[in-house]
Structures are given as C-alpha cells and as structure tokens.
C-alpha cells in the first residue's frame, strides 16, 4: 500500500474510473447482445429498435473515452450490417 497521500488518492481514483469503465463496457455488451438476439428471432422492427438503442450507448461510450472512436464505429457497423441482412 502507498504511504504518500497523493499516491493513495491515485489508487482510489484509478479504481473509481476502472469501475465506471467496466459498467459502461458491460452496458455496451448487453445492448449488442440484444441486437443479435433480435436478429436471431427474425423480428426486423425489434432489431431496428435495439440497433438504435445500441448505437446510442456505443457512441456515448466512445465520447466518454471508454472506447476508441474507430472501435465504436466498427461495433455499430457490424450491428447495422446484421440488421440490414435480415429479409
């Protein structure tokens, strides 16, 4: 354990930020799973709604710095392709 006050604070701040990032990543994964689940069921309306929600969550995560913008763009693109391939 650190002895210096600033080092102790850095440990706490790093843990807080890690917890926040983990929660945001988890919400992104959940939103993506919902889109893929809707694609599997074949319901285009539900899939489109899930895609809109997932896109919003992913873009928010990218703006907060949890994901790189290219990573977020790739995730959105893959989801959109999956929904657009539906008949």
């Amino acid at each position: 354990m650190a002895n210096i006050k600033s080092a102790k604070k850095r440990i706490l701040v790093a843990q807080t930020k890690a917890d926040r990032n983990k929660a945001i990543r988890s919400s992104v994964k959940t939103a993506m799973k919902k889109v893929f689940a809707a694609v599997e069921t074949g319901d285009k309306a539900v899939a489109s709604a899930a895609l809109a929600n997932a896109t919003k969550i992913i873009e928010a995560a990218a703006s907060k710095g949890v994901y790189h913008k290219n990573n977020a763009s790739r995730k959105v693109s893959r989801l959109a392709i999956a929904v657009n391939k539906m008949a």
Side-chain angles (χ1 to χ4, degrees):
M1 183 68 190
N3 290 325
I4 299 171
K5 186 176 181 181
S6 61
K8 290 179 182 178
K9 181 178 178 181
R10 291 311 317 157
I11 291 169
L12 293 174
V13 170
Q15 184 62 49
T16 302
K17 288 184 177 186
D19 292 342
R20 171 181 161 270
N21 291 345
K22 186 180 285 190
I24 292 170
R25 280 197 180 96
S26 177
S27 66
V28 167
K29 288 179 189 175
T30 302
M32 290 178 70
K33 285 179 189 174
K34 287 181 181 178
V35 174
F36 288 127
V39 168
E40 288 293 319
T41 60
D43 192 351
K44 180 101 174 176
V46 173
S48 296
L51 173 64
N53 185 43
T55 301
K56 181 179 175 184
I57 292 171
I58 292 168
E59 294 298 328
S63 70
K64 292 176 183 176
V66 178
Y67 287 111
H68 189 275
K69 64 176 185 164
N70 291 355
N71 189 341
S73 179
R74 185 176 66 244
K75 289 180 187 302
V76 170
S77 176
R78 287 180 179 165
L79 293 175
I81 289 169
V83 171
N84 291 337
K85 279 187 178 178
M86 294 177 69

